[in-house]
Amino acid sequence: MTKSETGLPRKLSRRQLLKAGAGTMALLAAAKLNLPAGAFAQGAGPEVKGAKLGFIALSDAGPLFVAKDKGMFAKYGMPDVDVLKQASWGTLRDNLVLGSEGNGIDGAHILTPMPYLISAGRVTQNNVPTPMYILARLNLDGQCVSIGKEYAELKIGLDARPFKVALDKKKAEGKSIKAAMTFPGGTHDLWIRYWLAAGGIDPDKDIETIVVPPPQMVANMKVGTMDCFCVGEPWNGQLVHQQIGYTALTTGELWNKHPEKSLGMRASWVDKNPIAAKAITMAIMEAQQWADKAENKDELAAIMGKRQWINCPVEDIVDRAKGKFDYGTGKVVESSPHVMKYWADHASYPFKSHDLWFMTEDIRWGKYDAAFDSKALIEKVNREDIWREAAKALGVAAAEIPSSTSRGKETFFDGKVFDPENPTAYLKSLAIKRVEV
């Protein structure tokens, strides 16, 4: 095999193989048999054999679990990749800042806004930036807003206005009201803020927002720590199974086929190990393809439930992984269009327009000032070029590779439209926000 311009292996032509002779052909055949990735892992292999990748116990980290359990990292020449559980998004951030050389991690399953917040030094100690890259998106949809059983009779749904009435009454009685999310400025923070604000609830004035790690959401709801929360699966399903609360909505109902987690890595690691970064991306992409197949969903749920991964009963995972949503209110949706997608609908592609929406919402809530140059930072952080090179090396069909880095205008459940060509107009259309535009 020879190297292509991207540094990835390129197959020899038939004429070249014939010239090489039978002995060389036999050696190549043996290599292909012994290494599923052929000579990628041998001749033009990665600069290193491993990396440390962090994750939070959530179903959208599934591609990392699959890639590790089913040998996909090893297949692409990265047998020593470690997939390491993190206690919270804050811990994951701190370990990314440290890097593996400082006993931290090199990359992670991560909330899409976090690589931007970390790169800009908005959530790091002393506001010191740690440059990050996004190499792929990990999934679309699959998060939920859940409500405590205290509000069971209201059967809160997409319309948060009845919830506002109940919260105002509780607040007038001198009781505290709280909404939990997982990281300030992260996806769950933005989903619950969008939903509350659309219902006339100011998430900074009318309710207190608190940070709770995903695996602790159910236990905290059980003891009455919060009135509602936003988190990924399987914790919403577990809440329903334990009859502690119910699902008000899946986030795909807010914004159909919305982006969620990403594969993020330290820029310094990727710059030092570009072939290894492509290899990791290829392994994750193959795992995403596998995880999205209907015939693999039971095995996927079993993998995700393992102690070293989510450490959760499979029955709390499997139904929603297959698209069956029992909301806990008597509402049951079979084959939901808002099931978590790992590969379908270009789920893996890191659209720059999606990153721009997250940054625009973080401007809305004061994480960046109104004049912040979001597009300039996106050009530094979003490495869709690596995704495209990995897709080409993986043999991804042309129809599964987007022709543009923008998915175009996006429409939300309340009729708001985000045009990536004019994010300021979107900001101006929002009634509740922290910035003047």
Side-chain angles (χ1 to χ4, degrees):
M1 289 190 129
T2 63
K3 288 185 182 180
S4 69
E5 293 178 358
T6 65
L8 296 173
R10 180 172 56 197
K11 290 183 178 179
L12 295 173
S13 69
R14 180 177 176 83
R15 185 182 296 274
Q16 288 170 317
L17 282 172
L18 289 172
K19 285 183 178 180
T24 301
M25 289 170 66
L27 285 173
L28 287 170
K32 188 171 183 180
L33 284 174
N34 291 318
L35 287 169
F40 178 88
Q42 196 175 51
E47 303 84 354
V48 293
K49 293 185 180 295
K52 296 185 182 299
L53 303 180
F55 75 94
I56 297 294
L58 289 161
S59 295
D60 41 36
L64 276 70
F65 310 153
V66 170
K68 183 64 177 177
D69 271 24
K70 300 189 84 64
M72 292 167 188
F73 289 125
K75 177 178 178 178
Y76 296 103
M78 299 292 289
D80 299 331
V81 167
D82 290 327
V83 180
L84 307 168
K85 186 179 289 186
Q86 310 291 297
S88 67
W89 292 114
T91 301
L92 183 144
R93 169 207 57 202
D94 294 343
N95 282 327
L96 280 170
V97 170
L98 289 172
S100 61
E101 294 178 356
N103 294 320
I105 56 179
D106 303 302
H109 149 256
I110 196 167
L111 300 163
T112 290
M114 285 183 68
Y116 291 98
L117 292 164
I118 294 170
S119 294
R122 298 305 170 102
V123 294
T124 54
Q125 189 173 8
N126 298 322
N127 297 322
V128 177
T130 296
M132 296 281 299
Y133 291 151
I134 287 176
L135 307 187
R137 201 80 68 216
L138 290 179
N139 68 298
L140 303 180
D141 294 341
Q143 319 302 295
C144 291
V145 173
S146 289
I147 309 290
K149 65 180 180 181
E150 175 183 353
Y151 306 96
E153 292 184 3
L154 293 177
K155 295 184 179 181
I156 303 297
L158 264 177
D159 185 356
R161 288 176 295 180
F163 194 42
K164 173 176 172 57
V165 174
L167 294 179
D168 287 346
K169 180 180 178 182
K170 186 174 180 179
K171 193 173 183 180
E173 295 170 354
K175 299 176 183 177
S176 65
I177 50 175
K178 297 179 180 180
M181 44 75 182
T182 63
F183 188 83
T187 58
H188 303 121
D189 187 24
L190 299 182
W191 304 136
I192 201 163
R193 283 173 174 272
Y194 194 100
W195 175 70
L196 291 169
I201 303 168
D202 189 317
D204 288 324
K205 297 177 180 178
D206 298 332
I207 192 169
E208 180 185 353
T209 55
I210 60 173
V211 177
V212 177
Q216 297 177 25
M217 285 290 190
V218 175
N220 276 270
M221 183 71 91
K222 188 174 184 178
V223 298
T225 302
M226 77 280 280
D227 298 82
C228 60
F229 65 66
C230 183
V231 75
E233 296 299 346
W235 310 116
N236 301 284
Q238 185 178 90
L239 184 84
V240 171
H241 288 166
Q242 295 186 12
Q243 299 182 338
I244 297 168
Y246 62 96
T247 296
L249 60 133
T250 68
T251 47
E253 295 172 68
L254 288 179
W255 173 12
N256 188 32
K257 299 177 185 178
H258 72 73
E260 184 47 44
K261 306 298 190 301
S262 292
L263 171 63
M265 297 200 73
R266 286 171 55 95
S268 60
W269 193 94
V270 175
D271 291 342
K272 185 178 180 181
N273 306 293
I275 299 176
K278 292 170 193 171
I280 288 174
T281 306
M282 290 169 71
I284 294 293
M285 291 166 72
E286 183 170 322
Q288 289 178 285
Q289 292 172 332
W290 183 92
D292 234 16
K293 293 179 180 178
E295 62 267 29
N296 294 332
K297 293 300 184 182
D298 285 306
E299 185 181 354
L300 174 64
I303 290 172
M304 293 195 292
K306 288 182 179 180
R307 183 175 182 180
Q308 70 267 36
W309 305 136
I310 296 179
N311 191 25
C312 177
V314 173
E315 54 266 29
D316 287 342
I317 302 174
V318 67
D319 279 354
R320 294 191 178 201
K322 291 181 174 181
K324 180 180 178 180
F325 284 79
D326 180 347
Y327 284 65
T329 59
K331 176 183 177 181
V332 179
V333 176
E334 302 277 358
S335 302
S336 170
H338 307 303
V339 66
M340 186 177 291
K341 304 163 191 69
Y342 298 104
W343 185 258
D345 299 318
H346 300 310
S348 178
Y349 189 80
F351 286 99
K352 291 181 179 180
S353 61
H354 283 166
D355 290 0
L356 182 60
W357 180 84
F358 284 119
M359 296 204 68
T360 302
E361 279 290 308
D362 271 337
I363 288 174
R364 175 187 186 183
W365 301 113
K367 300 302 179 187
Y368 306 96
D369 59 71
F372 189 85
D373 192 344
S374 298
K375 292 185 177 180
L377 186 58
I378 288 170
E379 288 303 313
K380 294 178 181 178
V381 173
N382 185 298
R383 294 301 306 273
E384 56 85 26
D385 59 311
I386 292 177
W387 190 97
R388 288 180 179 273
E389 290 175 7
K392 183 177 179 181
L394 200 61
V396 174
E400 295 180 313
I401 301 176
S403 59
S404 171
T405 61
S406 172
R407 206 171 70 172
K409 294 181 180 180
E410 305 283 357
T411 303
F412 297 80
F413 84 106
D414 58 352
K416 301 298 182 185
V417 176
F418 177 73
D419 182 354
E421 296 299 319
N422 191 0
T424 301
Y426 166 79
L427 268 178
K428 287 180 177 179
S429 75
L430 301 168
I432 301 176
K433 49 186 174 287
R434 295 281 74 80
V435 299
E436 294 294 332
V437 288

